[in-house]
Amino acid sequence: MHDDETSTGESPTGRRPTIYDIAERLELSPSTVSRALHKPGRINATTVEKIRAVADELGYRVNPMARALPTGMSGTFAVVLPDITNPVHFELIRGAEQVARSHGATLVVSESEGSPALERETIETLQQSVDGLLVVASRLDAAQLRKLAAIKPIVAANHSARDLPSVTPDLRGGLTAALDHLHELGHRSVAYLGVTGLAINRARWDILLDLATEGSMSVVEIGIEEPTVDGGSSALRRIRASGVTAVLAYNDLVAHGVLRAARAAGIDVPTAFSVVGFDDIFSAELTVPALTTLRSPLRDIGTKAMALLADPGTNRSPSHVVLPIELVTRESTAPPPPR
Amino acid sequence: MHDDETSTGESPTGRRPTIYDIAERLELSPSTVSRALHKPGRINATTVEKIRAVADELGYRVNPMARALPTGMSGTFAVVLPDITNPVHFELIRGAEQVARSHGATLVVSESEGSPALERETIETLQQSVDGLLVVASRLDAAQLRKLAAIKPIVAANHSARDLPSVTPDLRGGLTAALDHLHELGHRSVAYLGVTGLAINRARWDILLDLATEGSMSVVEIGIEEPTVDGGSSALRRIRASGVTAVLAYNDLVAHGVLRAARAAGIDVPTAFSVVGFDDIFSAELTVPALTTLRSPLRDIGTKAMALLADPGTNRSPSHVVLPIELVTRESTAPPPPR
DNA sequence: CGGCCTCTGGCAACCGTCTGCCATTCGGGG
DNA sequence: CCCCGAATGGCAGACGGTTGCCAGAGGCCG
């Protein structure tokens, strides 16, 4: 059994080396080591060189906890979202993670399970150990978020909050594109499948109401309980009863549900009615028919939001970044049946 | 503008209260406050009561960083995985997150992008601020992991590692069920769509080789680059050329890719050949045909693995938990074409 | 009534790093 | 040759909690 030491040799003990170990070895003071490692220019170049060498040899890593105490900076950011497994959030998290990493920071992910109380509790706890929070699709109202943001910076992602910096998709633009697309195909009445009681949902519905009164498209809302596949399936009867020729779903999961229920009932989409999804999750192109959907720039939302959080932010006033939504036309939309 | 203070009133300043603030208010020493909050029984009950009250009033939260310094316990666990956006990992993360939360701990999620070097770097950095690591589908070899585990506990999830506690699905059982299912349908030759150069992949292939020599099923491997939809699509030509009547995909994404490519080429599945996926991600039942797949107990893997990490672990020897895999039969498998 | 144990609470050191301020050295300009 | 400033390094206190040890107050027992 030979000595399989790696390049960054580590101490035999389980204890990680500290700046004291380095200082002792070089007969320097810990403060010098600290500065050598993090204050470029402050310490003589050759000394820095030696310190670096020993640090490498010992496999030294700064202890983020110990550093966080005096500086108040932990090098950690948190993402708080209602549902981790929602595919919508995948890309957002990944975008955020990559930006965080590029800033040398780590990412904490926490789920609030859609409960406002738990969300608040989570945020308050996390604030102690984090430099900033990314709050996705918050269930908290603007006033509460604003108060929480007094402690540590908060950026709202995928939902707008008046006094907070936010990164949101251009709902109005997206919905306009969807409605235009349907109108061109010949549709004149659309049902919106919304999740009752969600703030984001209200925003969308308001925009749709706006657009409907402006244009020549009639719009009705069909409320569902949960933004899930099953939620979508449950709406089929009401869709058929409403007499609309097209459906705009709260998200792709819901649209999937509609597709599934229709298929089970022997109803052909898009012959009988058209379906437009929302988000363009990866499975949208895999269904039959492939889903026409509004592609939310989720990855970019994560990226921009984290950038807002991690960068000092030159301007003081909360910035509201709005990212474009793109209509992806696939097979689930077609002209309405003749009547 | 009225004073909209919440129940847990917070200090007007942005600074969070400390045990010193509580102590001062009650003319006690900080140590008493510390003990009152975390050492049940140590401090007089009525005193504890008063301290609790003030703590609530001030909205006190313990600072995990400060606590971590003397104790070495941060109340944080990390999950390190190659690809955050892989849907396979999300249920696992969620399971882990829930267990962590139930232990009052937070979860850090970090992506290694499939690079062994980056994975190692990530683990070493994280070890400074974490009580333990959950390493998912590691690209590191057993020896390296063992060494890293000397610093902070590591549990291997979804892949086995000799000297480390691990939680893995029962590959052999699952693959046997899949092969039996295909055999019953009449298939005698199967292609395995594996990702070349992945340790987990080797394990599966070895088992398949075993099973093939035992039974009356011939097996060939078709290598793909990436475990993605596109990776699966790219294999269609080779599948056709190989003459097999059934395909076992590395995961559901790959299976989706095969389905998509077949559909694009006008080839009907399962008439022309059968497809079996792996993992049962949520979209597996949404495709046409709906995917027959081996359901990995991902949620449970996350749960058990985190439990192993968070609980003291009564027994010293590394425990290896093996969870059953279930075959979910849908529409993508059928008898082979007559010949 | 004295000794001892239990119950409570305080003191102070420590965890690892950062940083304001001071001390020393050295070089250059006047 | 003196003065001053730049360069470099050290001292010590601070960050917020934890904990070993000690001390005073009672209560109990013999």
Side-chain angles (χ1 to χ4, degrees):
Chain A
M1 189 167 294
H2 72 302
D3 176 29
D4 63 343
E5 204 156 359
T6 63
S7 54
T8 65
E10 36 246 31
S11 66
T13 144
R15 194 180 132 279
R16 302 227 61 149
T18 71
I19 53 172
Y20 287 89
D21 298 322
I22 302 179
E24 196 175 350
R25 190 98 150 215
L26 258 31
E27 298 191 328
L28 287 170
S29 99
S31 47
T32 304
V33 176
S34 172
R35 283 194 267 253
L37 260 20
H38 308 294
K39 293 268 194 263
R42 182 65 176 74
I43 299 294
N44 181 292
T46 72
T47 310
V48 169
E49 214 35 58
K50 281 189 238 164
I51 291 180
R52 282 255 167 69
V54 175
D56 272 6
E57 186 189 347
L58 260 38
Y60 169 81
R61 309 274 154 155
V62 58
N63 181 328
M65 309 272 168
R67 172 185 288 192
L69 215 36
T71 61
M73 298 276 89
S74 64
T76 305
F77 294 96
V79 176
V80 178
L81 31 73
D83 175 10
I84 287 197
T85 59
N86 187 334
V88 169
H89 300 316
F90 291 10
E91 285 292 330
L92 197 157
I93 294 180
R94 169 177 252 183
E97 217 266 353
Q98 287 189 340
V99 174
R101 177 194 297 275
S102 81
H103 283 255
T106 25
L107 201 67
V108 169
V109 177
S110 200
E111 200 176 6
S112 63
E113 296 169 18
S115 144
L118 189 50
E119 181 176 339
R120 181 161 207 248
E121 172 64 26
T122 303
I123 293 178
E124 291 207 324
T125 304
L126 249 27
Q127 278 181 326
Q128 293 283 2
S129 42
V130 143
D131 295 344
L133 300 276
L134 211 65
V135 178
V136 184
S138 177
R139 312 293 221 245
L140 261 29
D141 62 47
Q144 292 195 80
L145 278 180
R146 179 169 36 78
K147 282 186 74 174
L148 288 170
I151 311 282
K152 288 286 170 65
I154 295 185
V155 170
N158 218 15
H159 77 289
S160 46
R162 222 173 340 103
D163 311 309
L164 254 42
S166 67
V167 181
T168 51
D170 176 19
L171 284 178
R172 184 171 212 99
L175 293 175
T176 303
L179 251 36
D180 284 354
H181 169 63
L182 291 173
H183 193 271
E184 267 174 37
L185 288 172
H187 295 271
R188 292 297 176 268
S189 65
V190 176
Y192 170 62
L193 257 50
V195 178
T196 50
L198 245 55
I200 326 161
N201 193 60
R202 287 257 67 77
R204 291 190 196 168
W205 178 233
D206 281 348
I207 293 174
L208 280 174
L209 284 178
D210 255 30
L211 296 177
T213 53
E214 285 174 6
S216 44
M217 185 78 97
S218 71
V219 170
V220 298
E221 183 175 22
I222 294 180
I224 58 178
E225 294 291 322
E226 295 290 333
T228 59
V229 175
D230 287 341
S233 296
S234 73
L236 181 66
R237 281 186 64 211
R238 282 175 290 164
I239 294 171
R240 299 298 283 163
S242 71
V244 299
T245 59
V247 169
L248 213 58
Y250 175 78
N251 66 20
D252 284 349
L253 292 181
V254 172
H256 280 334
V258 174
L259 255 33
R260 194 182 62 179
R263 184 150 160 271
I267 299 167
D268 187 68
V269 173
T271 311
F273 63 94
S274 292
V275 175
V276 177
F278 205 106
D279 291 335
D280 194 29
I281 61 179
F282 83 93
S283 58
E285 58 170 332
L286 301 175
T287 57
V288 174
L291 200 58
T292 292
T293 188
L294 288 166
R295 176 180 297 161
S296 261
L298 295 164
R299 174 72 155 275
D300 289 347
I301 291 179
T303 306
K304 296 271 195 247
M306 183 52 74
L308 242 44
L309 212 50
D311 281 329
T314 48
N315 52 343
R316 279 298 88 196
S317 65
S319 37
H320 297 277
V321 179
V322 176
L323 268 21
I325 290 185
E326 180 190 354
L327 178 71
V328 181
T329 311
R330 297 206 181 88
E331 307 160 0
S332 66
T333 46
R339 41 168 309 173
Chain B
M1 185 169 294
H2 74 302
D3 176 29
D4 62 344
E5 202 156 359
T6 63
S7 54
T8 65
E10 34 247 28
S11 66
T13 145
R15 196 180 130 279
R16 304 229 56 154
T18 71
I19 54 171
Y20 288 86
D21 298 321
I22 301 179
E24 197 176 349
R25 192 103 146 211
L26 258 31
E27 300 192 325
L28 286 169
S29 101
S31 49
T32 304
V33 176
S34 172
R35 283 194 268 251
L37 262 20
H38 307 293
K39 295 267 196 256
R42 181 65 175 71
I43 300 294
N44 181 293
T46 72
T47 310
V48 169
E49 214 35 57
K50 282 188 236 163
I51 292 180
R52 282 254 168 69
V54 175
D56 273 6
E57 185 189 348
L58 260 40
Y60 169 81
R61 309 274 155 154
V62 58
N63 180 329
M65 309 275 169
R67 189 205 293 241
L69 217 36
T71 62
M73 297 276 89
S74 64
T76 305
F77 294 96
V79 176
V80 178
L81 31 73
D83 176 10
I84 285 199
T85 58
N86 187 334
V88 168
H89 296 139
F90 265 78
E91 283 292 328
L92 196 158
I93 294 181
R94 169 179 253 182
E97 218 264 352
Q98 287 188 339
V99 173
R101 178 193 296 275
S102 81
H103 282 255
T106 15
L107 200 67
V108 169
V109 176
S110 200
E111 198 176 7
S112 63
E113 296 169 17
S115 143
L118 189 51
E119 180 177 339
R120 181 162 208 247
E121 173 63 26
T122 304
I123 293 178
E124 290 207 326
T125 303
L126 250 26
Q127 278 181 325
Q128 292 282 4
S129 41
V130 143
D131 295 344
L133 300 279
L134 210 65
V135 178
V136 183
S138 176
R139 312 294 220 246
L140 262 28
D141 62 46
Q144 291 195 81
L145 279 179
R146 178 169 36 77
K147 282 186 76 173
L148 289 170
I151 311 284
K152 288 285 169 67
I154 294 184
V155 169
N158 217 16
H159 77 287
S160 45
R162 220 175 341 102
D163 311 309
L164 255 40
S166 67
V167 181
T168 50
D170 176 19
L171 285 177
R172 184 169 213 98
L175 293 175
T176 304
L179 251 36
D180 283 354
H181 168 64
L182 292 172
H183 194 272
E184 266 173 40
L185 289 172
H187 296 271
R188 292 298 175 268
S189 65
V190 176
Y192 170 63
L193 257 48
V195 178
T196 49
L198 244 55
I200 326 161
N201 193 60
R202 285 257 70 75
R204 292 191 196 168
W205 179 232
D206 280 348
I207 293 174
L208 281 174
L209 283 178
D210 254 30
L211 297 177
T213 53
E214 285 174 7
S216 44
M217 186 77 99
S218 71
V219 170
V220 299
E221 182 175 23
I222 294 180
I224 58 178
E225 294 292 321
E226 294 291 333
T228 59
V229 175
D230 287 341
S233 296
S234 73
L236 181 66
R237 281 186 65 212
R238 282 175 291 163
I239 293 171
R240 298 298 283 165
S242 71
V244 298
T245 60
V247 170
L248 213 58
Y250 176 78
N251 66 20
D252 285 349
L253 292 180
V254 172
H256 280 335
V258 173
L259 255 33
R260 193 182 62 179
R263 183 151 161 269
I267 299 168
D268 187 67
V269 173
T271 312
F273 63 93
S274 291
V275 175
V276 177
F278 205 106
D279 290 337
D280 194 29
I281 62 179
F282 85 96
S283 59
E285 58 169 331
L286 301 174
T287 57
V288 175
L291 200 58
T292 293
T293 188
L294 288 166
R295 175 180 297 161
S296 262
L298 297 164
R299 176 74 155 273
D300 289 348
I301 290 180
T303 306
K304 296 269 195 248
M306 184 53 72
L308 242 42
L309 212 49
D311 281 329
T314 47
N315 52 343
R316 280 297 87 197
S317 65
S319 37
H320 298 276
V321 179
V322 176
L323 268 21
I325 291 184
E326 180 190 356
L327 178 70
V328 181
T329 311
R330 296 207 182 89
E331 307 160 359
S332 65
T333 46
R339 43 167 308 174

